[in-house]
Amino acid sequence: MTGKMTIALDAMGGDAGPDMVLPGAELASVRHPDLRFLLFGDGPRLEAILTKYPRLKGRSEVRHSEIAVGMEDKPSQALRRGRGKSSMWLAIEAVRTGEAQGVVSAGNTGALMAMARFVLKTIPGIERPAIAAIWPTLRGESVVLDVGATIGADARQLVEFALMGEAMARSLMSLDRPTVGLLNIGVEEVKGLEQVKEAGRLLRDLGLPLEYKGFIEGDDIGKGTVDVVVTEGFTGNIALKTAEGTAKQLSTYLKLALTRTLLSKLGALLATGAFATLRERMDPRKHNGGVFLGLNGIVVKSHGGTDALGFATAVDVAIEMIRNGLVAKIAADVAEINKHMDAFAPRAAVDA
Amino acid sequence: MTGKMTIALDAMGGDAGPDMVLPGAELASVRHPDLRFLLFGDGPRLEAILTKYPRLKGRSEVRHSEIAVGMEDKPSQALRRGRGKSSMWLAIEAVRTGEAQGVVSAGNTGALMAMARFVLKTIPGIERPAIAAIWPTLRGESVVLDVGATIGADARQLVEFALMGEAMARSLMSLDRPTVGLLNIGVEEVKGLEQVKEAGRLLRDLGLPLEYKGFIEGDDIGKGTVDVVVTEGFTGNIALKTAEGTAKQLSTYLKLALTRTLLSKLGALLATGAFATLRERMDPRKHNGGVFLGLNGIVVKSHGGTDALGFATAVDVAIEMIRNGLVAKIAADVAEINKHMDAFAPRAAVDA
């Protein structure tokens, strides 16, 4: 099903680097027998690990790179040290040249975004890329963006996020007409930021081919009220991390409660199957992969602290986006939409 | 322990109005035998309900009011209709005149804040009031503010929030030196909003008598990394509601998982005690009560949809704030701190 798809991996990214990335790629190889990999990183180290994974070895090519971007490097440092030669840069470069159709990295988010913007450039008509998270909800999954590519967004940028997120939801969840909501606050005396209100007006009045459902609040994300949740990167990042913190908090409570007494331990034992289902639903490794939207190429960021299973999920996400031609979809949508937008809301006027 | 404390209740506030508020006050009467109430609302209706609660009846005084602020009224509508005569306004007014030491309402948040600002005014030296939430964490409880009084805050306003939240944490959690953190995002290429960074510099350099711990991220809230989490109202409101949504989502998953098979149902039955503990920890009624900080009087907002138990918790919060002289603490802190602030960061310069 993946045809002759090739994915470039920054094998040095993530807390455990190639010791996590390569087993992750092996798992992805099992799932996708036609998939090929370009593995960028410390050649001898990668070759040594590959001896344990003959299947992966047969389907991948190692590209040596001396330099690995550190997880704590600032984007400017990473660019200075790693431009043109780090495993991260070279993996992205493989997408630009067409050797690979997408890149996956568990490395430093800031550096990855900076390099990806530099190498791939934004799609014509898109001002700023965004990072989209795949958020598990009571109804399934939603796309939430921006979760931290940039801080702040004006009305027109929020509309661009809506378009890009909608295209991603169509690709990822095979929805014909995903619903879109703008994240806002419901307290009456403060009816939301001006740019959010203005974005709401644009989404309602522009006649975009997009199912806009209006404002939603924070608790609507988990409910799955809409398929695509649009907000700027500061709020989006804090919402995402707050939800992660709450999930961790509640699973800690649950563990504590279930190991407190002999009876509760016995109960937990009997309900093992139920808890396996619960763990599965809550497993962050099943929802791993932040998609960089708005660039001329597919870039997926895996959690740095994930394991092989989580990394394989991020590869799955990349495959899905490639297979559905996400970049072309966004480019076409944006070209179409910018005709409307320029008439209704010239960029300068919206920005002012 | 409550001495001759009197609390004014907006008996008409909340989804169920007096049918929830009066039973809630009854519960609070049991907990606090010295407490007195002024009950503002529809006199005949309140008197009728009170016949069921002779204890509460003996300790409260009904003040008739024809007008109740609607849960969906805009603050401007509420002020127009309810100024000087609604149960909400009159309850707040009782704090201003000194008849009551604090007011609790489960009514419309926006209207309550608008009326409270109008009647009580802000403490000298405080620019804007904030709403502080009491957030259950893995370490106990934290104070999070602002969760929606206003949108946006400059550096100096964030510092004021830090001071007020710190005073509240000292009162509520009997801490000598609560720790304070500024909510920010950790993505490296976007190191946070300018005003958050500037507030960080002020908190670090001003030599305030306050245990400032630096920036924290969304997942630190649930961990309880700091006792006081400072952010502006848009982000704070979205973080709070997102966490509520996630908690509801996970408890739905848990219920579904535990009722799926006979074995899991049996397990759940055996672990009933454990789940009671879990429910207790997660019970939003145990953490009910948003405190309006920065006003010349104690105003506590209860969730509109809570029940008697939740309302009694909000009354507990008000009592704790009154007993600890929160308003005087904040006023003294602010007077002291503004001497430092004016030297280091004149208001005009910070606002620019």
Side-chain angles (χ1 to χ4, degrees), chain B residues 6-29:
Chain B
T6 301
I7 291 184
L9 301 182
D10 166 18
M12 307 310 281
D15 301 343
D19 295 322
M20 177 282 285
V21 173
L22 267 50
E26 167 73 9
L27 257 180
S29 301

Side-chain angles (χ1 to χ4, degrees), chain A residues 89-134:
Chain A
W89 179 286
L90 295 171
I92 300 168
E93 180 71 19
V95 176
R96 192 188 61 78
T97 61
E99 275 201 284
Q101 285 77 56
V103 53
V104 180
S105 171
N108 177 330
T109 308
L112 186 65
M113 179 54 94
M115 287 183 174
R117 283 182 84 151
F118 212 97
V119 174
L120 298 173
K121 309 278 187 285
T122 49
I123 293 171
I126 292 284
E127 267 189 274
R128 284 182 181 184
I131 304 177
I134 301 163

Side-chain angles (χ1 to χ4, degrees), chain B residues 71-286:
Chain B
M71 293 303 276
E72 305 299 326
D73 288 0
K74 289 187 181 163
S76 54
Q77 288 177 309
L79 276 173
R80 238 185 347 261
R81 280 187 55 236
R83 184 172 172 176
K85 50 192 175 188
S86 61
S87 60
M88 186 183 273
W89 178 286
L90 295 171
I92 300 167
E93 181 71 19
V95 176
R96 193 188 61 77
T97 62
E99 275 201 283
Q101 286 77 58
V103 53
V104 180
S105 172
N108 177 329
T109 308
L112 187 64
M113 179 54 93
M115 288 184 174
R117 283 183 84 152
F118 211 97
V119 173
L120 297 174
K121 310 279 188 282
T122 49
I123 293 172
I126 294 283
E127 269 189 90
R128 284 182 181 182
I131 304 176
I134 301 164
W135 192 303
T137 74
L138 285 175
R139 278 182 54 240
E141 284 179 336
S142 296
V143 169
V144 179
L145 78 167
D146 174 23
V147 296
T150 40
I151 281 183
D154 63 28
R156 183 151 173 168
Q157 285 158 352
L158 289 171
V159 172
E160 288 175 7
F161 291 173
L163 288 171
M164 297 195 294
E166 202 256 2
M168 176 170 156
R170 272 186 283 145
S171 297
L172 187 75
M173 307 183 289
S174 312
L175 293 169
D176 271 352
R177 248 181 121 69
T179 53
V180 177
L182 277 170
L183 194 58
N184 200 347
I185 75 177
V187 180
E188 267 300 334
E189 86 276 32
V190 280
K191 277 161 289 171
L193 297 163
E194 275 316 309
Q195 56 270 40
V196 176
K197 286 196 266 183
E198 174 64 16
R201 276 190 289 273
L202 289 172
L203 286 168
R204 208 179 46 234
D205 298 342
L206 282 183
L208 306 179
L210 183 149
E211 199 69 19
Y212 174 59
K213 292 291 187 190
F215 297 140
I216 61 155
E217 296 190 48
D219 53 339
D220 288 305
I221 311 178
K223 285 183 198 160
T225 305
V226 292
D227 300 309
V228 181
V229 175
V230 176
T231 186
E232 58 77 38
F234 187 83
T235 309
N237 185 277
I238 283 171
L240 180 68
K241 297 232 167 118
T242 301
E244 286 172 359
T246 304
K248 202 168 283 177
Q249 185 183 356
L250 297 194
S251 59
T252 305
Y253 287 164
L254 184 62
K255 254 176 249 157
L256 285 174
L258 289 174
T259 51
R260 237 169 39 111
T261 67
L262 196 61
L263 207 60
S264 63
K265 278 184 202 167
L266 183 61
L269 198 66
L270 286 180
T272 300
F275 289 118
T277 314
L278 182 68
R279 237 188 332 265
E280 165 111 11
R281 273 181 194 267
M282 287 177 55
D283 190 345
R285 300 174 304 172
K286 299 287 168 73

Side-chain angles (χ1 to χ4, degrees), chain A residues 10-11 13-25 27 31 71 104-107 244 248 282-290 300-315:
Chain A
D10 167 17
D15 300 343
D19 295 322
M20 177 280 287
V21 173
L22 268 50
L27 257 179
R31 291 185 193 164
M71 292 303 275
V104 180
S105 171
E244 287 173 357
K248 202 168 283 179
M282 287 176 56
D283 191 344
R285 299 174 305 173
K286 299 288 169 73
H287 309 279
N288 183 31
V300 173
K301 164 71 174 78
S302 159
H303 255 288
T306 195
D307 62 8
L309 184 60
F311 194 81
T313 303
V315 173

Side-chain angles (χ1 to χ4, degrees), chain A:
Chain A
M1 282 295 289
T2 40
K4 286 202 176 114
M5 200 183 286
T6 301
I7 291 185
L9 300 183
D10 167 17
M12 307 308 282
D15 300 343
D19 295 322
M20 177 280 287
V21 173
L22 268 50
E26 167 73 10
L27 257 179
S29 301
V30 177
R31 291 185 193 164
H32 309 281
D34 296 335
L35 191 61
R36 284 189 66 255
F37 288 109
L38 297 178
L39 305 173
F40 292 85
D42 178 342
R45 191 170 161 198
L46 300 190
E47 295 290 1
I49 299 173
L50 278 176
T51 57
K52 286 187 281 180
Y53 303 106
R55 179 201 326 259
L56 177 63
K57 193 177 161 69
R59 302 222 205 112
S60 52
E61 190 180 315
V62 171
R63 302 278 176 93
H64 180 67
S65 142
E66 297 278 333
I67 290 174
V69 170
M71 292 303 275
E72 304 299 328
D73 288 0
K74 290 187 181 163
S76 53
Q77 288 177 309
L79 276 174
R80 236 184 350 259
R81 279 186 58 234
R83 184 172 173 177
K85 51 192 174 187
S86 61
S87 60
M88 186 184 272
W89 179 286
L90 295 171
I92 300 168
E93 180 71 19
V95 176
R96 192 188 61 78
T97 61
E99 275 201 284
Q101 285 77 56
V103 53
V104 180
S105 171
N108 177 330
T109 308
L112 186 65
M113 179 54 94
M115 287 183 174
R117 283 182 84 151
F118 212 97
V119 174
L120 298 173
K121 309 278 187 285
T122 49
I123 293 171
I126 292 284
E127 267 189 274
R128 284 182 181 184
I131 304 177
I134 301 163
W135 192 302
T137 74
L138 285 175
R139 278 183 54 240
E141 284 182 335
S142 296
V143 170
V144 179
L145 76 165
D146 174 24
V147 295
T150 40
I151 281 184
D154 63 26
R156 183 150 173 171
Q157 285 158 353
L158 288 171
V159 172
E160 287 175 8
F161 291 172
L163 288 171
M164 296 195 293
E166 202 256 1
M168 175 170 157
R170 271 186 284 145
S171 298
L172 186 73
M173 307 182 290
S174 312
L175 292 169
D176 271 352
R177 247 182 122 68
T179 54
V180 177
L182 276 171
L183 193 58
N184 200 347
I185 76 177
V187 180
E188 267 300 335
E189 87 275 35
V190 281
K191 276 160 287 171
L193 296 164
E194 274 318 308
Q195 57 270 42
V196 175
K197 286 195 267 183
E198 174 64 16
R201 274 190 291 271
L202 289 173
L203 286 168
R204 208 180 46 234
D205 298 342
L206 282 184
L208 305 180
L210 180 149
E211 199 70 20
Y212 175 59
K213 292 290 186 189
F215 297 138
I216 61 155
E217 295 191 49
D219 52 338
D220 287 305
I221 310 177
K223 284 181 199 162
T225 304
V226 292
D227 300 310
V228 181
V229 176
V230 176
T231 185
E232 58 77 36
F234 187 83
T235 309
N237 185 276
I238 283 171
L240 180 68
K241 295 231 168 120
T242 300
E244 287 173 357
T246 304
K248 202 168 283 179
Q249 184 183 357
L250 297 193
S251 59
T252 305
Y253 287 164
L254 184 62
K255 254 177 247 157
L256 285 174
L258 289 174
T259 51
R260 235 169 40 109
T261 66
L262 195 63
L263 208 61
S264 62
K265 279 183 202 167
L266 183 62
L269 198 66
L270 286 180
T272 302
F275 289 117
T277 314
L278 182 67
R279 237 189 330 267
E280 165 111 10
R281 271 180 195 270
M282 287 176 56
D283 191 344
R285 299 174 305 173
K286 299 288 169 73
H287 309 279
N288 183 31
V291 180
F292 288 11
L293 295 176
L295 299 169
N296 291 302
I298 299 292
V299 181
V300 173
K301 164 71 174 78
S302 159
H303 255 288
T306 195
D307 62 8
L309 184 60
F311 194 81
T313 303
V315 173
D316 280 343
V317 170
I319 290 172
E320 213 58 39
M321 299 298 115
I322 295 165
R323 188 183 287 158
N324 285 287
L326 180 64
V327 173
K329 263 186 191 166
I330 293 178
D333 282 1
V334 167
E336 179 59 31
I337 259 78
N338 274 344
K339 291 183 213 156
H340 300 254
M341 291 269 266
D342 286 330
F344 276 76
R347 204 173 285 274
V350 175
D351 283 356

